Amino acid sequence: MAGAAEEIEALKREKRAVLLVHNYQRPEIQDVADYVGDSLGLSMQAARTDADVIIFCGVDFMAENAAVLNPTKAVIHPVPEAMCPMAMMIDAAGLREMKAQHPGAPVVAYVNTTAEVKAESDVCCTSSNAVKVVRSLPDREVIFVPDANLGAYVQRFVKEKTLHLWPGYCPTHQRIRREDILRLKEEHPAALALVHPECVPEVIDAADRVFSTEGMVHFIKESEAGEFIIGTESGLIHRLRRAFQDKVYYEVPNALCPTMKKITLEAVLRSLRTIEPRVVLPPETLERARGPIERMMAIGRGD
Ligand code: CIZ
Ligand code: SF4
């Protein structure tokens, strides 16, 4: 799309819009972003922006977070069908049933949940701070939803508590295979294998380090190593190549999230022209989801 980047810049100025873009988005969208990051960083940007309009390029729950945190702004999600399949594995009724089975246990909701599920929770977490959030609770029993892989990873560090896990997962990270990590390590013996905690436990065991996407960016920035196997959604590699050009990155097979890729540059352009489609949440859900998200942000990063 020739000239699209220029038109996007002009429209951003005209509409007083900010373009917030997740690490897993298409390269051409990352290239026109005002900020590229993970859901925690994007939430922080959304909460403090003084733009009138937030164009949110990520999946539905991330755009909802922005609407919850800054309800006076127009939050635009260019492709509303970009709905995270993991977030759709649990609904408010299901969570209420689980709460009834474990009375008194607080609920930690991974940020990859709908606002309706967050509204039924005590505190949210991201992959960056899941261990820190669970540790911050005084309770011995904790309900952790919806990612069972992330929950099992947290449980390794928080042995003094019992985590009750919802059987959800990320289809993209679930596809990352231990044998591919081991093969890449064999082919590139100098490379460090970094994987995401949404991966299955066998993949976690095969990795050198486990990080959220921002954790990976930070680690690579500080690391003396020059080669890395990137065990997360492949969009992150574009960000890494732009940020640290002198390092080498190896992609794991099948690590593409089709939902994240539903947002195209064309859709972003359309949204900037029309300031649609807007994220609209029932006022009660908006209010009830705010507390758990703000508690997570107060705890801050953990990796
Ligand atoms: O929290 C996020 O943005 C996700 C989905 C991944 C990560 O680890 O950053
Ligand atoms: Fe959802 Fe996984 Fe895609 Fe993230 S990578 S949006 S968790 S399906």
Side-chain angles (χ1 to χ4, degrees):
M1 280 175 81
E6 289 77 8
E7 190 176 351
I8 285 176
E9 283 313 315
L11 282 166
K12 280 200 286 194
R13 276 194 301 276
E14 182 193 327
K15 312 271 172 141
R16 290 190 35 82
V18 68
L19 208 62
L20 302 185
V21 174
H22 191 265
N23 285 329
Y24 296 161
Q25 289 285 291
R26 293 170 182 270
E28 62 274 24
I29 296 181
Q30 293 191 27
D31 291 349
V32 293
D34 293 297
Y35 176 86
V36 184
D38 70 346
S39 53
L40 187 57
L42 290 163
S43 292
M44 288 170 178
Q45 293 292 322
R48 66 166 169 247
T49 185
D50 56 9
D52 294 338
V53 176
I54 297 171
I55 308 282
F56 202 103
C57 302
V59 289
D60 55 341
F61 70 82
M62 300 177 179
E64 285 186 352
N65 283 357
V68 167
L69 289 167
N70 213 334
T72 61
K73 308 286 178 186
V75 177
I76 311 299
H77 189 208
V79 182
E81 308 80 63
M83 296 163 82
C84 168
M86 185 206 289
M88 291 168 72
M89 289 177 188
I90 184 167
D91 62 9
L95 178 52
R96 277 195 295 269
E97 255 173 55
M98 196 174 183
K99 282 163 60 167
Q101 284 161 15
H102 305 285
V107 177
V108 177
Y110 190 25
V111 74
N112 299 36
T113 41
T114 60
E116 192 192 272
V117 167
K118 291 185 177 96
E120 289 288 335
S121 305
D122 295 284
V123 57
C124 291
C125 73
T126 67
S127 44
S128 160
N129 64 9
V131 173
K132 205 170 162 190
V133 168
V134 171
R135 269 201 187 126
S136 76
L137 298 167
D139 315 73
R140 254 203 37 82
E141 299 209 9
V142 173
I143 296 171
F144 188 94
V145 299
D147 186 358
N149 288 329
L150 179 62
Y153 178 71
V154 171
Q155 184 76 81
R156 293 182 186 211
F157 296 90
V158 194
K159 295 212 167 36
E160 68 281 12
K161 295 185 195 292
T162 303
L163 266 60
H164 300 290
L165 307 180
W166 185 270
Y169 60 92
C170 161
T172 298
H173 286 87
Q174 194 84 4
R175 280 195 300 273
I176 297 179
R177 299 183 319 167
R178 176 183 169 88
E179 52 264 44
D180 288 322
I181 303 287
L182 295 177
R183 176 183 49 78
L184 284 164
K185 280 178 71 154
E186 219 174 281
E187 286 170 9
H188 309 288
L192 289 178
L194 314 183
V195 309
H196 194 276
E198 286 173 16
C199 293
V200 297
E202 306 86 80
V203 167
I204 303 258
D205 291 338
D208 293 302
R209 304 295 290 266
V210 181
F211 289 119
S212 71
T213 57
E214 286 302 310
M216 289 184 193
V217 172
H218 183 75
F219 177 79
I220 291 169
K221 182 174 181 208
E222 304 294 324
S223 175
E224 307 224 315
E227 297 175 45
F228 303 91
I229 296 158
I230 303 299
T232 191
E233 210 280 341
S234 51
L236 181 70
I237 295 181
H238 181 70
R239 169 144 180 230
L240 292 169
R241 288 204 173 115
R242 269 178 37 140
F244 316 117
Q245 294 167 11
D246 53 328
K247 312 226 176 191
V248 180
Y249 309 99
Y250 305 109
E251 190 174 331
V252 300
N254 303 318
L256 187 140
C257 172
T259 313
M260 278 282 178
K261 271 38 179 190
K262 279 189 179 164
I263 301 190
T264 61
L265 200 57
E266 222 160 25
V268 174
L269 203 46
R270 200 166 49 236
S271 281
L272 269 165
R273 288 189 192 122
T274 60
I275 309 300
E276 272 180 16
R278 193 167 171 164
V279 177
V280 182
L281 288 167
E284 197 208 326
T285 308
L286 205 79
E287 287 307 315
R288 289 180 62 212
R290 188 169 302 126
I293 300 175
E294 284 184 345
R295 260 165 244 138
M296 160 186 88
M297 287 167 62
I299 290 170
R301 288 200 178 282
D303 70 358

